[in-house]
Amino acid sequence: MIVGLTGGIGSGKTTVANFFKELGVPVYNSDKEARKLMRTSKKVKNAIIELLGEKAYNGKKLNKTYISEKIFNNEKLLQKLNSIVHPAVRTHFLRWKEKQNALYVIQETALIFENKSESFYDKIILVVAPEYQRVQRVAERDGISIAQIENRLKSQLKDDEKTPLAHYVIENTNLFNTQKKVEEVNKALLEYC
């Protein structure tokens, strides 16, 4: 069974994913793997350079600052970049999934509802947190401006739009409660398998 784990920027998807890992659930981090594929896949790299130019890379290193500045203010460029990276990640995920020995696996990915890819998942878990808390987390984690964070928030659906579309919702404001909720969702998923 494939379970999608999603949530807006700064909601705490990785924190929730780590709680699932502690329970022995295999978790695929799409952002991390996408960055890796953007560096290591010749096909992906060439397509990104064609789309964004040579400055998208500093040698073999991804120029994340340059790419962010280009795509988060340009919806069409963001969609084109996603159309390069997402299929490569999907293929990589499916190969990874085949190697797992578990009743279910989780794909941690930010834009399930925005990309209308709900049908790919048997169940979807949405991680939510108040916007002020999310902004604070991202500012501390990434060291970027509030304006940059707000630009990224604009490219994502609001939590109240996503909540009715998810099978499970985990509010990530208190780690103890978050961990308890993860345990409940894991139990429910195992019963569903």
Side-chain angles (χ1 to χ4, degrees), residues 76-113:
K76 280 190 177 150
L77 266 185
L78 176 60
Q79 286 174 355
K80 284 179 182 174
L81 180 64
N82 286 342
S83 73
I84 294 166
V85 177
H86 291 173
V89 170
R90 172 71 50 87
T91 301
H92 188 263
F93 166 75
L94 290 171
R95 284 193 200 120
W96 171 87
K97 178 188 147 299
E98 292 307 313
K99 296 174 187 164
Q100 306 311 309
N101 186 18
L103 290 174
Y104 74 94
V105 298
I106 290 178
Q107 183 178 20
E108 177 189 343
T109 185
L111 304 172
I112 291 175
F113 300 116

Side-chain angles (χ1 to χ4, degrees), residues 35-133:
R35 284 191 298 275
K36 201 184 292 179
L37 287 166
M38 288 165 84
R39 284 192 323 269
T40 59
S41 165
K42 203 172 187 79
K43 182 180 174 186
V44 171
K45 191 174 177 179
N46 288 340
I48 291 171
I49 290 169
E50 192 175 310
L51 177 67
L52 301 173
E54 296 286 337
K55 286 185 183 176
Y57 291 87
N58 292 327
K60 289 186 177 182
K61 220 173 160 203
L62 203 58
N63 186 345
K64 288 190 270 186
T65 307
Y66 172 80
I67 292 172
S68 294
E69 286 169 1
K70 294 282 278 188
I71 64 171
F72 283 110
N73 294 318
N74 186 326
E75 185 65 31
K76 280 190 177 150
L77 266 185
L78 176 60
Q79 286 174 355
K80 284 179 182 174
L81 180 64
N82 286 342
S83 73
I84 294 166
V85 177
H86 291 173
V89 170
R90 172 71 50 87
T91 301
H92 188 263
F93 166 75
L94 290 171
R95 284 193 200 120
W96 171 87
K97 178 188 147 299
E98 292 307 313
K99 296 174 187 164
Q100 306 311 309
N101 186 18
L103 290 174
Y104 74 94
V105 298
I106 290 178
Q107 183 178 20
E108 177 189 343
T109 185
L111 304 172
I112 291 175
F113 300 116
E114 290 82 351
N115 292 333
K116 303 205 182 322
S117 57
E118 301 95 315
S119 63
F120 180 69
Y121 303 96
D122 298 294
K123 296 287 181 185
I124 298 173
I125 302 165
L126 173 65
V127 182
V128 298
E131 195 168 297
Y132 74 88
Q133 202 171 30

Side-chain angles (χ1 to χ4, degrees), residues 8-12 129-150 153 172-173:
I9 186 171
S11 61
E131 195 168 297
Y132 74 88
Q133 202 171 30
R134 293 168 53 199
V135 169
Q136 184 182 353
R137 288 173 183 168
V138 176
E140 288 170 11
R141 180 189 73 198
D142 297 350
I144 58 177
S145 73
I146 301 298
Q148 288 171 302
I149 297 166
E150 286 172 351
L153 284 168
N172 182 31
T173 53

